[in-house]
Amino acid sequence: MASASAATATLLKPNPPPPHKPTIITASVSPPRTHTILRRDFLSLTAASTLLLTQSIPFIAPSPASAAEDEEYVKDTSAVISKVRTTLTMERTDPKVAETVAELREASNSWVAKYRKEKALLGKASFRDMYAALNAVSGHYVSFGPTAPIPAKRKARILEEMETAEKALSRGR
């Protein structure tokens, strides 16, 4: 039995701790910046140059093609405004009312189809007011027929929108 206890005593003997190694602490020094552009610098430069370019675009003269398109827009819009006014001022008993309303609907549909897809015109006040007025006129005639009179309130609102569209056109808006 003595041998079993001696074996147990040697097994239970703790191992000595490992020798102490000194820890070396070094200060990390970043290398000096050479002429590299960081992402943040690149993005700020890009944003600044984009802002400068977009702010200077209105001062650039429009190309002859866009000036011709603007003249065509003004001419077409003025023609549709005059058609709307003549249609609204016609008497209900006039025999040409149905024909005039059909011509107006054709002109307004072609105007909307032509200029609705132009992104440059979508923000213009003249386009917005003109589109609203044409929508009201066309909606009335589709719902009630070409010979139905337009109610006074709706007629006044349409004429007011036409007037503001005409003013915006004359100001180039």
Side-chain angles (χ1 to χ4, degrees), residues 86-87 89-101 146-147:
T86 57
T87 305
T89 57
M90 289 182 83
E91 291 295 322
R92 190 173 100 183
T93 57
D94 193 346
K96 294 184 177 181
V97 169
E99 180 183 322
T100 308
V101 168
T147 57

Side-chain angles (χ1 to χ4, degrees), residues 7 14 30 32 38 49 54 56 63 65 76 84 99 102 105 110 162:
S30 62
L38 295 177
S49 63
T54 56
S56 64
S63 66
D76 290 347
V84 169
E99 180 183 322
R105 291 205 44 224
S110 66
M162 290 289 166

